[in-house]
Amino acid sequence: MHLSLQMVLAQMMLGLNTGAFYAVLSLGLAVIFGLLNIINFAHGALYMLGAFVALLGYNKLGPLLGVPGLHLNYWAALLVAPLVVGALGMAIEKTMLKRLYKVDHLYGLLLTFGLALILQGVFTNYFNVSGTPYGGKPEILGGALNLGFMWFPTYRLWSIGLSLVVCFATWFVVERTKLGSYLRAGTENPALVQAFGVNVPLMITLTYGFGVALAAFAGVVAAPIYSVSPIMGSEMIITVFAVVVIGGMGSIMGSIITGLSLGMLEGLTKVVYPPASNTVIFFMMIVVLLVRPAGLFGREQ
Amino acid sequence: MKKGLVRAALSAAFVGAFVGMSAFPGSALAAGISNDVVKIGVLTDMSGVYSAIGGEGSVTAAKMAVADFGGTVLGKPIDVISADHQNKPDIASTKARQWADTDHVDMITGLLNSGAAIAVQKIGTEKKMITMATGAGSTALTNKDCGPYGIHYVYDTYSLPKVAGSAIVQHGGKTWFFLTADYAFGHSLEKNTAAFVKSQGGKVLGQVRHPLATADFSSYLLQAQASGAKVIGLANAGGDFVNAVKQAREFGIVQGGQTIAGMLVFLSDVKSLGLDVAQGMEFATSFYWDRDPASRAWSKRYFAKTGAMPTMDQAGVYSATMTYLKAIKAAGTDDPDAVMKTLRGMKIDDFFSINGHLRADGTMVHDMFLVEVKKPSESKGPWDLLKVIKQVPGDQAFMPMSEGTCPLVKAGGGAGTGGY
């Protein structure tokens, strides 16, 4: 494998694409962990669910309503899938997670892991594991752009840009607005915030809904790039957890920066030594945990 | 050298003794139908990576064959049952054992995964049950893992690259770079293709191995692009093949002048890619629905039942089931030894198989075809996808038995070969 500058740049670009997905997914995990102290293992399954809402909305909405030619198009799916999955998330929080806030973190992890297995099992039963291609990619995002060092598909460029916008918008809301300050205060001292007249239980429900809506959003963005399959989430979630651990649990900016840079690290590894590309992130995780147990951006408790 | 000869003689003697013991436990062959029913089991991938290739379509094909045969053989009913082997050898073995022991299944067909097929064929040897693998590719089925009741019916990882790889080199694809699925099937496909490429004067510039069921091929494709090879050979199948081809087009690799060559391509893959993406691709197949009047007539009947044209695996299941039933009728019994003997003496010619015959090592040798995917402008309908470029006689496509390593051949043939 010869290392040319062109090759490195091209693989960095691809890495940025993967990294943008890591960033959006780990961001959702970080927000949920920050406020609920729940390690949300269902995150990957809800990402998969978001992709399926887009796929089924595109393929089955017309037949379902008896209107031939009716599709839930891509742009609508970008809104509908996060809303549907976010609503499901809020129902999960209200009926199940709520009961676990007083017990150990581990119970939340086990519950969400169980949910992930159920969701994945149900979908595997009805859908092809090798994936179903999503046909709803907008015409306007077809084709490829010449970046000078490579041809890069327009849609992938769009997916990077859109993911980054969503990441930074989330960061801005949490870190720079009044709503965000309630959230942050709620994580520090819920009783006090409640005393000021803020409805903390509702805030928690909405936060969980928002976190999983981010996962569903990532699923819709991923659908035109990869095939939509029941196992797409489980393949992603382990890596994303490593990203969260490296960045530091609960740090918003940390998870964004770590997600992007680890995606690029993975891309570079694919040039230098492809077999290690699956494990390089976990290797990083070990190194970081040895040096800074709270993660690169985490605060020591 | 000398040692090798001694070992070969010893193993031949051992296997000979083994076949002698297992194949003819009694003296005379039983006549008539065991358990008053002929049971055919379709064991295939019903829900996974390869379900579009086999799945429900294979079950439909087997049932069509039974109906066309008349529903009975030698006055006894014929039953078709099916199950999902989930591409896991352990699940396939458990099911095959249960079928052999409690359900009295006489023949198993389908077997869409090499690992599962090898495991089930071993059980066939043990339980005296005929297996007709239509979907598995590995040549191990007719070499080191061959069995007296095992038949490899549709294609293998030698015949496909021999037909396609050689042709692509002759058409100017002199330099190759492989993208290979990182398990036994991919490795054997890559190895065989590389050998044919070199024998035609071509060169292999490199390869990269990807895990099974990879979603994103982009970085591997860029490496293939950077190698400057004329041909990017895909030694993978199903979803992996489809994803790799789709992304090669997205990244402008095909437009840049490199050719993508799939070593194992099914009609369902081409359909899923669409002609825009797949046009111009050459590959080898044992069957195409629009090949000739007979294949067309059958496939149209199949289409009326399933809404899709058959893959070579699905057409192969029909042909295998039909051939098996004809052999029972000709032998006057469903006794596996008698049926195998009849099968080996038959000419297997129908809408699927042209100039077919069954060899001692279990290979069903038949003509193979080089096909090319049509341009959208050439296509006259939703399933008008391929044109047949060349017909290759079976004995030029399949591995010569003299080069194989099936111990049964060295010992004088499998069950029903009469010892020669």
Side-chain angles (χ1 to χ4, degrees), chain B residues 53-296:
Chain B
I53 296 165
E56 286 296 342
S58 292
V59 182
T60 305
K63 286 183 172 157
M64 275 173 77
V66 170
D68 290 352
F69 194 81
T72 60
V73 59
L74 305 178
K76 301 285 189 242
I78 309 161
D79 254 3
V80 176
I81 58 174
S82 65
D84 188 353
H85 63 36
Q86 297 178 35
N87 302 328
K88 295 187 183 116
D90 54 332
I91 290 180
S93 314
T94 309
K95 190 42 88 174
R97 258 179 220 291
Q98 181 203 322
W99 277 0
D101 293 339
T102 57
D103 298 324
H104 306 301
V105 166
D106 298 292
M107 188 274 275
I108 295 183
T109 185
L111 305 171
L112 243 173
N113 164 286
S114 295
I118 290 166
V120 171
Q121 189 167 286
K122 282 198 164 77
I123 289 166
T125 303
E126 183 190 327
K127 308 272 182 196
K128 291 186 66 179
M129 178 171 53
I130 294 176
T131 54
M132 301 173 92
T134 56
S138 173
T139 45
L141 282 167
T142 53
N143 283 275
K144 70 177 175 48
D145 294 315
C146 69
Y149 306 102
I151 301 171
H152 201 176
Y153 202 83
V154 176
Y155 68 89
D156 59 29
T157 51
Y158 180 99
S159 55
L160 293 171
K162 170 127 198 218
V163 171
S166 316
I168 291 165
V169 177
Q170 284 159 12
H171 299 171
K174 292 275 183 230
T175 50
W176 287 59
F177 185 96
F178 287 104
L179 256 65
T180 304
D182 201 0
Y183 69 116
F185 155 80
H187 290 214
S188 99
L189 203 50
E190 181 200 310
K191 196 177 102 216
N192 291 338
T193 313
F196 296 124
V197 166
K198 287 173 192 157
S199 75
Q200 297 290 324
K203 265 177 62 182
V204 177
L205 303 183
Q207 67 281 319
V208 63
R209 308 241 158 97
H210 67 81
L212 178 65
T214 290
D216 199 342
F217 281 89
S218 47
S219 79
Y220 306 120
L221 286 162
L222 288 190
Q223 291 176 46
Q225 186 179 33
S227 75
K230 286 285 293 169
V231 182
I232 300 171
L234 300 179
N236 54 18
D240 282 337
F241 165 80
V242 169
N243 274 332
V245 175
K246 220 166 62 181
Q247 289 164 13
R249 186 154 281 268
E250 279 175 8
F251 281 87
I253 287 173
V254 181
Q255 299 86 323
Q258 284 170 301
T259 313
I260 306 281
M263 287 301 114
L264 171 53
V265 185
F266 292 90
L267 191 69
S268 48
D269 299 332
V270 177
K271 184 72 185 162
S272 149
L273 282 167
L275 295 183
D276 271 340
V277 175
Q279 59 181 302
M281 232 189 237
E282 286 182 330
F283 61 91
T285 181
S286 40
F287 179 77
Y288 174 51
W289 74 270
D290 205 8
R291 180 183 66 198
D292 54 46
S295 66
R296 243 190 315 277

Side-chain angles (χ1 to χ4, degrees), chain A residues 141-212:
Chain A
L141 299 174
L145 295 168
N146 192 349
L147 301 182
F149 54 89
M150 74 185 297
W151 282 91
F152 200 73
T154 314
Y155 183 83
R156 284 183 181 239
L157 212 56
W158 154 259
S159 76
I160 295 172
L162 185 63
S163 304
L164 291 182
V165 166
V166 167
C167 281
F168 286 106
T170 306
W171 170 83
F172 183 81
V173 168
V174 175
E175 300 289 338
R176 293 282 180 275
T177 64
K178 196 165 178 181
L179 176 67
S181 65
Y182 287 164
L183 281 178
R184 281 174 294 127
T187 62
E188 292 291 327
N189 192 336
L192 191 66
V193 177
Q194 187 114 15
F196 278 117
V198 176
N199 186 344
V200 171
L202 177 69
M203 200 163 76
I204 288 177
T205 307
L206 289 172
T207 304
Y208 189 77
F210 176 73
V212 303

Side-chain angles (χ1 to χ4, degrees), chain B residues 267 287-300 303 309-312 315 351 381-386 388:
Chain B
L267 191 69
F287 179 77
Y288 174 51
W289 74 270
D290 205 8
R291 180 183 66 198
D292 54 46
S295 66
R296 243 190 315 277
W298 182 82
S299 300
K300 282 184 173 154
F303 182 85
M309 284 297 175
T311 62
M312 60 175 161
F351 78 94
W383 289 92
D384 184 16
L385 303 172
L386 310 176
V388 177

Side-chain angles (χ1 to χ4, degrees), chain B residues 301-326:
Chain B
R301 285 176 46 220
Y302 174 90
F303 182 85
K305 287 194 189 301
T306 62
M309 284 297 175
T311 62
M312 60 175 161
D313 173 50
Q314 289 153 341
V317 167
Y318 178 101
S319 172
T321 307
M322 193 53 120
T323 302
Y324 173 71
L325 293 172
K326 281 180 185 161

Side-chain angles (χ1 to χ4, degrees), chain B residues 384-404:
Chain B
D384 184 16
L385 303 172
L386 310 176
K387 50 187 175 205
V388 177
I389 309 267
K390 198 167 122 191
Q391 181 165 347
V392 179
D395 38 347
Q396 286 172 34
F398 287 88
M399 187 195 288
M401 204 150 59
S402 56
E403 287 177 25

